Amino acid sequence: MLTALFLKGRLRHDLSEEERNALDNAVARTVEIRPRMTLVERGKLIEHSYYLVEGTMLRHIDDRRGERQLVGVNIPGDFVDLHGYAMKRLDHDVGSLTRATLAQISHRKITELIDAFPHLGRALWFSTLLDAAMHREWIFGLGRLNAEGRIAHLIAELIERLRLVELYDGSVLPIPLLQRDYAEACGITPVHANRSFRTLRERGALRPCGEGRLEILDEALIRRLGEFDGSYLYGTGELALRTLHDR
Amino acid sequence: MLTALFLKGRLRHDLSEEERNALDNAVARTVEIRPRMTLVERGKLIEHSYYLVEGTMLRHIDDRRGERQLVGVNIPGDFVDLHGYAMKRLDHDVGSLTRATLAQISHRKITELIDAFPHLGRALWFSTLLDAAMHREWIFGLGRLNAEGRIAHLIAELIERLRLVELYDGSVLPIPLLQRDYAEACGITPVHANRSFRTLRERGALRPCGEGRLEILDEALIRRLGEFDGSYLYGTGELALRTLHDR
DNA sequence: GCTTCTCAATCACCTAGATTAGAAGGGCCG
DNA sequence: CGGCCCTTCTAATCTAGGTGATTGAGAAGC
């Protein structure tokens, strides 16, 4: 099943087998994309959305001077541009970090899905609002944490999200972000990202382990430095949601 | 009509009279709130959402040390916590800046509305994604602009949003944010917010005009300093959306 | 074999913004 | 009326992070 990871760790148990099958059957085709390619461009009229099956995708806003700000990272189980269903054009670009496999679903099909399965429709809505919750947490991090804390927060979030979809092995972060990418996500320069990684290394929090990946040595420390509380991911913790069905 | 400003300047023209009436009739009651009070608390189970009729509301995340990060400002025409419809609990707090009037709509009623008017449902979804788009723009600002630029960006956004709902008179920003609030939105200290306001004043961009309001003297300059391009508000510009009806 | 890239890593120096501490002005309350 | 907040505004000092430049390792290409 292509969409097996959709809302895994959150509301997937709340979807009926019929709904899960309907979502999976809505996929028109899958596409492969090479690393560091653009998938969806800001401003282009779009008529389908992509669900990420495998790989990592990055969402970013570029300013006139060519400076790039990451606004999101997507991992398997995420829709990368479901916003486009209700907005028709994206305000930012979506590109690949690694080689990636995506499942394409047309907006017409999504409308049919929602008409046939209103509860699934709410789950789709929910999934776009998870993005918004993550955005808010990034705003918090950019506004209130120093460079080291921002990087730690990002790493802690990625670990937690991978854990929810059972793609975290407990020690290696399988997302080959470059220090430049961390810098673009955290609003700092690559030089300073490097300095921050050094202190994280010296504190024994993590260390590089080849191919751009990080070995996580002390997750608790990383969470503390990033003031991370994962409840905003709505998987576990005080905000966790059991059902979207009306009481 | 209480909800007359909902999606005004964006998709309101796309709503039928029937849909507009249905939304208005879904309002259970209106509530008044005094300035600087909390309306919705993070983590509380909620069963209705609030549409802002009059006044200004602020949304913020507080960290353990009592530091506050604004993550959104709401003006008339906005739902302040429609996210809560699909998420049941908010990850942040919503409070008033000024005295405010809100229309309360139960989640049960929203479900009925969406069932009866799927297109209105998509418009409601769209409105929550506008929040996400604004969040992304704030992330961009926090990551890529200096203090003066961040403040300018926020002011430019507020002007543009007020203009969309026709609440901007062309010279006075009718939102009495304190310098402390700007600081909490922009991730800087109040002292530095003050310095930045001084340079904005010295450049002839704006000046205070009593009761915490700002007189806008050179909007073009403010937009330039904040690298502001309002198309992410989906009102005018390259991303503007004409209809949510299927083609 | 060489060159050419890219990325991590580091240094020296400089600036934007934080921190701390007050002063001045207005509104509200007793 | 005096006293007390709260807010704006300012100055002095300090630091996190930016800038620019260099080095070395590894991979890609010729």
Side-chain angles (χ1 to χ4, degrees):
Chain A
M1 179 172 264
L2 279 171
T3 57
L5 298 185
F6 178 62
L7 291 182
K8 189 172 167 74
R10 276 91 159 203
L11 278 174
R12 189 162 184 83
H13 62 273
D14 197 40
L15 298 178
S16 68
E17 195 181 335
E18 202 185 1
E19 288 170 325
R20 283 181 269 134
N21 287 333
L23 177 63
D24 217 61
N25 292 331
V27 174
R29 63 197 189 93
T30 64
V31 302
E32 294 274 327
I33 185 170
R34 282 172 297 140
R36 303 277 178 184
M37 302 297 288
T38 298
L39 176 71
V40 188
E41 220 169 305
R42 171 196 156 90
K44 286 261 177 71
L45 196 63
I46 52 185
E47 296 189 331
H48 35 247
S49 288
Y50 292 97
Y51 165 91
L52 182 55
V53 178
E54 208 184 334
T56 306
M57 305 286 291
L58 302 179
R59 295 157 58 184
H60 51 88
I61 296 177
D62 293 333
D63 73 4
R64 10 239 150 270
R65 295 189 302 274
E67 302 218 352
R68 164 173 302 194
Q69 174 65 47
L70 286 200
V71 295
V73 178
N74 285 301
I75 61 173
D78 295 344
F79 274 92
V80 300
D81 63 346
L82 190 54
H83 291 70
Y85 170 66
M87 308 198 97
K88 300 306 167 203
R89 298 173 200 271
L90 293 194
D91 57 324
H92 60 282
D93 298 316
V94 182
S96 56
L97 170 66
T98 64
R99 210 164 102 69
T101 307
L102 301 116
Q104 194 185 70
I105 307 186
S106 77
H107 289 175
R108 180 171 297 280
K109 259 285 192 308
I110 294 175
T111 300
E112 289 171 22
L113 270 184
I114 295 172
D115 287 349
F117 304 100
H119 170 263
L120 175 59
R122 263 179 293 169
L124 289 166
W125 188 353
F126 172 84
S127 78
T128 62
L129 298 184
L130 276 178
D131 278 333
M134 290 187 260
H135 290 336
R136 282 189 288 275
E137 197 67 16
W138 283 35
I139 290 174
F140 170 80
L142 286 166
R144 299 291 145 203
L145 302 178
N146 63 12
E148 194 190 15
R150 295 179 203 178
I151 290 175
H153 191 285
L154 174 54
I155 291 172
E157 177 184 301
L158 292 174
I159 290 174
E160 192 64 26
R161 289 169 63 190
L162 288 165
R163 195 167 3 235
L164 286 172
V165 293
E166 294 176 17
L167 289 175
Y168 181 60
D169 70 2
S171 88
V172 176
L173 185 69
I175 299 180
L177 289 165
L178 303 176
Q179 293 189 356
R180 189 204 331 134
D181 298 315
Y182 283 99
E184 287 177 352
C186 297
I188 56 179
T189 57
V191 173
H192 199 57
N194 182 272
R195 273 196 283 254
S196 303
F197 271 106
R198 172 164 46 158
T199 67
L200 286 169
R201 220 184 321 122
E202 287 170 353
R203 286 177 195 269
L206 49 76
R207 67 169 171 229
C209 65
E211 296 168 39
R213 298 201 180 74
L214 295 174
E215 182 181 354
I216 306 302
L217 299 172
D218 188 344
E219 187 186 343
L221 175 59
I222 291 172
R223 293 169 79 107
R224 187 145 29 84
L225 291 170
E227 295 193 18
F228 183 80
D229 167 0
S231 44
Y232 70 96
L233 298 171
Y234 287 78
T236 55
E238 49 175 330
L239 306 180
L241 183 56
R242 265 152 297 280
T243 181
L244 274 173
H245 285 286
D246 281 329
R247 294 139 303 274
Chain B
M1 182 174 259
L2 278 171
T3 57
L5 299 184
F6 178 61
L7 290 181
K8 188 172 168 75
R10 277 92 157 203
L11 277 174
R12 188 163 184 82
H13 62 274
D14 197 40
L15 298 177
S16 67
E17 194 181 335
E18 202 185 0
E19 288 170 324
R20 283 181 269 133
N21 287 333
L23 177 63
D24 217 62
N25 292 332
V27 174
R29 64 196 188 94
T30 62
V31 302
E32 295 274 325
I33 185 170
R34 280 171 297 141
R36 302 280 179 182
M37 302 296 288
T38 298
L39 176 70
V40 187
E41 221 168 304
R42 170 195 157 91
K44 286 260 176 73
L45 196 62
I46 52 185
E47 297 190 330
H48 36 247
S49 288
Y50 293 97
Y51 165 91
L52 182 54
V53 179
E54 206 183 335
T56 306
M57 305 285 292
L58 302 179
R59 293 156 59 184
H60 50 88
I61 296 177
D62 293 333
D63 74 3
R64 10 240 150 268
R65 296 188 302 275
E67 302 219 350
R68 164 173 304 193
Q69 174 65 48
L70 285 199
V71 295
V73 177
N74 285 302
I75 62 173
D78 295 344
F79 274 92
V80 300
D81 62 347
L82 189 54
H83 291 70
Y85 171 66
M87 308 199 96
K88 301 305 166 203
R89 297 173 201 271
L90 293 194
D91 57 327
H92 59 283
D93 297 315
V94 182
S96 55
L97 170 67
T98 64
R99 211 164 101 70
T101 306
L102 300 115
Q104 193 186 73
I105 306 185
S106 76
H107 289 175
R108 179 171 298 280
K109 259 284 192 314
I110 295 175
T111 300
E112 288 172 21
L113 269 184
I114 296 172
D115 288 349
F117 305 99
H119 170 264
L120 175 59
R122 264 180 291 167
L124 289 167
W125 188 352
F126 172 84
S127 78
T128 62
L129 299 184
L130 275 178
D131 277 332
M134 290 188 259
H135 290 338
R136 282 189 287 276
E137 197 67 17
W138 282 35
I139 289 173
F140 170 80
L142 286 166
R144 299 290 146 203
L145 303 178
N146 63 12
E148 196 191 13
R150 295 180 203 177
I151 290 174
H153 191 286
L154 174 54
I155 291 171
E157 175 183 303
L158 291 174
I159 289 173
E160 193 64 26
R161 289 169 63 191
L162 287 165
R163 195 170 1 239
L164 286 171
V165 292
E166 294 177 17
L167 288 175
Y168 181 60
D169 69 3
S171 90
V172 175
L173 184 69
I175 297 180
L177 289 165
L178 303 177
Q179 292 188 358
R180 188 202 335 133
D181 299 315
Y182 283 99
E184 287 177 353
C186 296
I188 56 178
T189 57
V191 173
H192 199 58
N194 181 270
R195 275 195 283 256
S196 304
F197 271 105
R198 173 165 42 160
T199 67
L200 286 169
R201 218 183 322 122
E202 286 168 356
R203 287 177 194 269
L206 49 75
R207 69 171 169 224
C209 66
E211 296 169 39
R213 299 201 179 74
L214 295 173
E215 183 180 353
I216 306 302
L217 298 172
D218 188 343
E219 187 186 345
L221 175 60
I222 290 171
R223 294 168 79 106
R224 186 145 30 83
L225 291 171
E227 293 192 20
F228 182 80
D229 167 357
S231 44
Y232 70 94
L233 299 171
Y234 287 77
T236 57
E238 49 175 331
L239 306 180
L241 182 57
R242 264 152 298 279
T243 180
L244 275 174
H245 286 286
D246 281 327
R247 297 140 301 275

